[in-house]
Amino acid sequence: MPKGKIYLAAGISGLLAVAGIAPQSFAANETVTVVLPEEPPSLEPCESKHSSVGRVLIQNITEPLTVIDPQTGKVKPELATSWEQTAPDTWRFHLREGVKFSDGAPFDARAVVASIERLQRGDMTCNTKQQTLGGVDVQTTIVSDYVVDFKTNKPIPIFPTMMTVVQMSSPNMKLEGASRRPIGTGPYVLTAWNAGTDITVERRDDYWGEKPVVAGARYVWRSESALRAAMVATGEADLTPIISVADANNPETDLAYPNGETTRLRISTNVPPLDDKRVRLALNLAIDREGLKVLFGEEAKLAEQLVGPNVNGFNPDIQPFPYDPEKAKQLLAEAKADGVPVDKAITIIGRNEIYVNAGEALEAMQAMWSEVGLNTQIRMFDTGNWLRYQNRPFPEPDMANLHQDQHDNLLGDATFTAFNKYDSEGVNSAVYDKRVDDLIAKAEPATGETRTKAFQEAFKLLHDDIVADVYMYHMIGYTRVSPRLDWRPSLATNSEIDLSEIRFQASE
């Protein structure tokens, strides 16, 4: 073995030993081990839009009524077989017969009604409801055992697309906070959750669809990118969906992919000194985004809005803010002369491992803000506590803060971003502007060019006039896959890992 490879192997073995993991050979062909960056806060079906939850849950334990075809972008049947719009505010769905949940309960109209009730529950904030059906109230009516009507409080022309992210769950699941025992119609069933250690799932023998090749999976979590990469390199794990660009150094196992995520720092726009546009603009001008690419990869694109070019409503005319620290200093001086408290501390709310190098990016940005005279402090949280600051009611509403956020819009329409993130009533919104609200209200019931232009105008207003965010990147993901697997990442990999798509190499 060449000397360089001896050192590399020794370094990996030492890293695993420190973590209490003994290097071992590949697991049995029938099962896989997936190493994630964090432990899920729950496995609640109505929280599946959180990537840490969705990676375990979606298409494995739970399934939706409809899915998006990754090749065409069109809506296809899954647990629903067909649907039609019977009125401007009503859609009728015909359900697949012969499907059962893993607890034996039948999948039927009653189960769909229970799943929608779970989504719209009042004891907790279901992020799937807020991020997908923000501002939309849904009433369900059972037409027959396998036919359901959905009536919305306003016309929703893309309602079948919305339903692609609503996970169906057994009517026997209790409504007591965020569940850790999901029951779905998917090909796998949860067998164990050892808190702080691992989660295991096993293939169901009575699954309604095609039998997956993978018999089961074990999910573990390690916060360090280098450790996750090392675990796959030594056979301790089979794949990790997220590693840093620095650790993606093996072309035989490491793959780059556009992951559909856009990163930002949400600005609390109504709290001094952030209620002054000049301060918000200075925050953006002080950041050297091109220089920060070293943390995320040169393929990352500078963001100028919270959706990517593949989304209906993306505005191609918006330009990213330039790096201009001198202009930032000038704006802050002008604001200070007008009595704005620019010296007031601004708190950065960060989340551990929200994306690779998330903490390092915040520290670099903090240094850049310090250079122009801004006073910031970083507070890092685990996912559960970070969510308290993401969702209204905010726990410290009078605190000037920047909230670290990562948002994916894989469904192709700006409605899945605009209301939740920017409407005055949006659960994640720190923007309170009637002009934005009116544009969103104009877009949502519309179709065609009217819909597209209204969303485009909203994003331009948010960027140019309001300066609602510290915009960062349209992200690129890096993943490491064991040579024994036949699997490639997709646009959805950061949010879900469909075990049924995994095959094993013939040599194994």
Side-chain angles (χ1 to χ4, degrees):
M1 177 184 291
K3 184 185 292 186
K5 294 194 179 289
I6 293 174
Y7 291 152
L8 176 60
I12 291 173
S13 297
L15 190 59
L16 293 173
V18 169
I21 303 168
Q24 62 182 45
S25 60
F26 290 124
N29 269 351
E30 294 184 349
T31 63
V32 297
T33 297
V34 181
V35 55
L36 304 174
E38 59 186 336
E39 182 174 12
S42 74
L43 287 178
E44 168 57 53
C46 79
E47 290 280 86
S48 63
K49 279 295 291 176
H50 288 310
S51 57
S52 59
V53 178
R55 292 178 192 125
V56 178
L57 208 62
I58 297 175
Q59 295 295 349
N60 296 324
I61 297 174
T62 60
E63 299 170 311
L65 296 179
T66 58
V67 293
I68 298 287
D69 186 321
Q71 303 301 321
T72 66
K74 293 183 178 180
V75 182
K76 298 195 309 180
E78 182 145 295
L79 290 178
T81 56
S82 63
W83 49 87
E84 64 266 3
Q85 191 170 15
T86 58
D89 61 353
T90 305
W91 287 83
R92 175 165 292 179
F93 278 67
H94 303 265
L95 308 180
R96 188 178 300 279
E97 299 185 29
V99 176
K100 290 184 182 252
F101 292 94
S102 60
D103 65 349
F107 170 74
D108 54 15
R110 186 176 71 90
V112 173
V113 170
S115 295
I116 297 301
E117 289 176 351
R118 186 174 198 89
L119 187 74
Q120 301 186 117
R121 59 201 292 190
D123 67 316
M124 62 176 288
T125 299
C126 286
N127 74 323
T128 300
K129 154 71 173 173
Q130 300 301 336
Q131 293 189 28
T132 306
L133 296 170
V136 180
D137 293 324
V138 183
Q139 294 181 342
T140 50
T141 301
I142 296 175
V143 179
S144 65
D145 286 349
Y146 294 97
V147 180
V148 182
D149 278 353
F150 297 85
K151 182 179 176 62
T152 56
N153 60 326
K154 53 187 175 183
I156 305 295
I158 61 168
F159 189 77
T161 304
M162 286 185 167
M163 296 309 291
T164 63
V165 296
V166 178
Q167 303 300 305
M168 296 293 108
S169 53
S170 170
N172 296 326
M173 287 185 65
K174 297 179 180 179
L175 289 177
E176 295 177 353
S179 176
R180 296 171 68 90
R181 296 181 177 276
I183 303 171
T185 61
Y188 296 90
V189 60
L190 178 73
T191 52
W193 185 344
N194 301 305
T197 303
D198 62 10
I199 291 170
T200 56
V201 299
E202 290 183 3
R203 186 176 58 203
R204 290 175 55 186
D205 293 331
D206 59 346
Y207 177 56
W208 64 270
E210 182 179 348
K211 180 180 178 181
V213 172
V214 172
R218 177 175 179 249
Y219 300 90
V220 297
W221 36 89
R222 303 290 184 269
S223 60
E224 303 89 351
S225 168
L227 180 53
R228 294 196 297 274
M231 290 174 68
V232 178
T234 61
E236 179 68 21
D238 294 294
L239 73 89
T240 180
I242 305 172
I243 57 174
S244 72
V245 60
D247 294 322
N249 52 26
N250 185 343
E252 294 184 1
T253 60
D254 304 340
L255 303 166
Y257 64 100
N259 65 12
E261 301 280 5
T262 300
T263 51
R264 67 164 182 169
L265 295 177
R266 182 192 66 197
I267 303 174
S268 56
T269 61
N270 64 336
V271 182
L274 300 176
D275 59 345
D276 191 288
K277 177 183 174 180
R278 292 168 294 188
V279 178
R280 302 195 297 273
L281 185 54
L283 283 165
N284 277 280
L285 296 175
I287 299 303
D288 181 5
R289 293 172 179 80
E290 287 291 347
L292 282 176
K293 277 188 175 182
V294 67
L295 296 174
F296 305 111
E298 287 300 319
E299 297 92 342
K301 305 297 184 184
L302 271 60
E304 66 300 287
Q305 55 204 294
L306 201 53
V307 297
N310 62 312
V311 173
N312 180 38
F314 172 84
N315 191 328
D317 297 328
I318 305 174
Q319 297 300 311
F321 287 116
Y323 175 45
D324 193 343
E326 294 307 314
K327 179 64 174 179
K329 292 177 183 178
Q330 177 187 334
L331 289 169
L332 292 173
E334 292 174 1
K336 186 173 184 178
D338 290 340
V340 178
V342 298
D343 297 328
K344 180 180 178 182
I346 300 170
T347 301
I348 305 170
I349 302 296
R351 173 179 142 194
N352 296 321
E353 293 301 314
I354 186 173
Y355 45 81
V356 174
N357 291 329
E360 290 85 348
L362 291 186
E363 291 172 359
M365 295 167 81
Q366 182 183 41
M368 294 174 193
W369 286 322
S370 178
E371 286 292 322
V372 300
L374 287 167
N375 176 20
T376 61
Q377 57 187 16
I378 299 173
R379 295 170 63 185
M380 297 299 293
F381 292 96
D382 60 21
T383 302
N385 284 309
W386 172 86
L387 286 171
R388 296 174 55 240
Y389 290 88
Q390 184 189 41
N391 298 327
R392 292 181 181 177
F394 302 130
E396 299 178 65
D398 297 329
M399 178 179 66
N401 73 87
L402 308 173
H403 181 270
Q404 187 180 38
D405 191 19
Q406 176 171 248
H407 171 67
D408 72 72
N409 187 324
L410 303 178
L411 303 182
D413 190 274
T415 192
F416 302 110
T417 300
F419 184 91
N420 174 47
K421 298 295 186 180
Y422 296 115
D423 191 272
S424 296
E425 300 300 322
V427 73
N428 293 163
S429 177
V431 175
Y432 308 87
D433 193 296
K434 187 177 185 300
R435 296 171 297 170
V436 175
D437 297 348
D438 289 346
L439 285 168
I440 294 172
K442 178 181 179 181
E444 286 188 333
T447 58
E449 189 174 356
T450 299
R451 182 183 189 88
T452 300
K453 286 191 172 180
F455 280 130
Q456 288 178 336
E457 289 178 29
F459 287 129
K460 186 171 180 60
L461 182 63
L462 288 160
H463 182 277
D464 294 354
D465 191 71
I466 297 172
V467 192
D469 299 313
V470 176
Y471 300 91
M472 294 184 65
Y473 303 97
H474 301 302
M475 300 286 275
I476 295 293
Y478 298 88
T479 185
R480 175 165 287 183
V481 184
S482 165
R484 82 185 190 102
L485 298 189
D486 180 6
W487 179 84
R488 293 295 180 267
S490 70
L491 190 66
T493 293
N494 195 54
S495 302
E496 58 186 76
I497 302 172
D498 186 347
L499 296 174
S500 68
E501 295 179 348
I502 298 175
R503 302 291 186 273
F504 297 101
Q505 296 288 1
S507 60
E508 289 292 314

